[in-house]
Amino acid sequence: YHVWTEDGGSSYITLAVPGHLRLVNVGSFEGRGALNSDISFPHAVADFEIWNTQPGESLALTVYLQDTLPQTFYNYGKIADTPFENWYKFDYDGETGAKHSEGVFQVFLTDGERGDNDLEANGKIRFTGGPAAVVAGQSLIFPHIVRSDDENTSLGLINDEVNLLTG
């Protein structure tokens, strides 16, 4: 699909899923919530759903970009320990996440797990994320909800992967 980039230019992103699956509601994410200004999305952020999965099914989405690959991949949505939508680094953890592979990103998703924004094994994966570039030498610190219950909400600052401060 064709996207408008942050610098006012345009680019093409191709998304590929296994043949029995269907990509629907494909578009660019216009942004909710703030991400650290040291991170940019030179190819925009993809926003789409994958239908026809079996509940709990795992799959590999391939993301082909028109230009050079950025360094990392970020996702926007809920994760198991944070019931609120937020940005998080989406590196491959052995089950889900994104990794570089021969000039493309392979994005590993499982219905109902990290990367599926509704966190429900319901035969549909809801995804918002994209390849991100990081400004060299900058610290990647942004707010992150660590825990929330009826009486307390704990906030923290995360630096890429490490929880620096909670309270």
Side-chain angles (χ1 to χ4, degrees), residues 34-36 39 74 86-89 140-144 156-160:
L35 183 62
N36 187 298
I39 301 169
Y74 274 80
N86 64 88
W87 287 104
Y88 58 94
K89 193 170 183 182
L140 301 180
I141 297 174
F142 50 96
H144 176 69
L157 297 177
I158 57 175
N159 181 352
D160 237 9

Side-chain angles (χ1 to χ4, degrees), residues 90-98 108 114:
F90 197 56
D91 285 340
Y92 185 64
D93 65 3
E95 294 182 22
T96 62
F108 298 91
R114 183 179 78 111

Side-chain angles (χ1 to χ4, degrees), residues 43-125:
H43 300 279
V45 175
D47 188 38
F48 57 88
E49 294 177 4
I50 301 172
W51 288 5
N52 298 341
T53 67
Q54 295 298 314
E57 180 179 350
S58 296
L59 62 100
L61 165 80
T62 305
V63 179
Y64 300 92
L65 301 173
Q66 178 180 346
D67 301 315
T68 309
L69 287 177
Q71 303 101 313
T72 190
F73 208 96
Y74 274 80
N75 194 14
Y76 182 80
K78 298 174 186 175
I79 52 178
D81 62 346
T82 306
F84 305 96
E85 291 184 334
N86 64 88
W87 287 104
Y88 58 94
K89 193 170 183 182
F90 197 56
D91 285 340
Y92 185 64
D93 65 3
E95 294 182 22
T96 62
K99 64 180 179 176
H100 294 262
S101 176
E102 299 181 22
V104 299
F105 271 102
Q106 292 290 317
V107 181
F108 298 91
L109 299 167
T110 299
D111 184 31
E113 299 295 326
R114 183 179 78 111
D116 180 3
N117 296 346
D118 66 14
L119 294 177
E120 296 179 21
N122 57 5
K124 179 173 61 172
I125 293 175

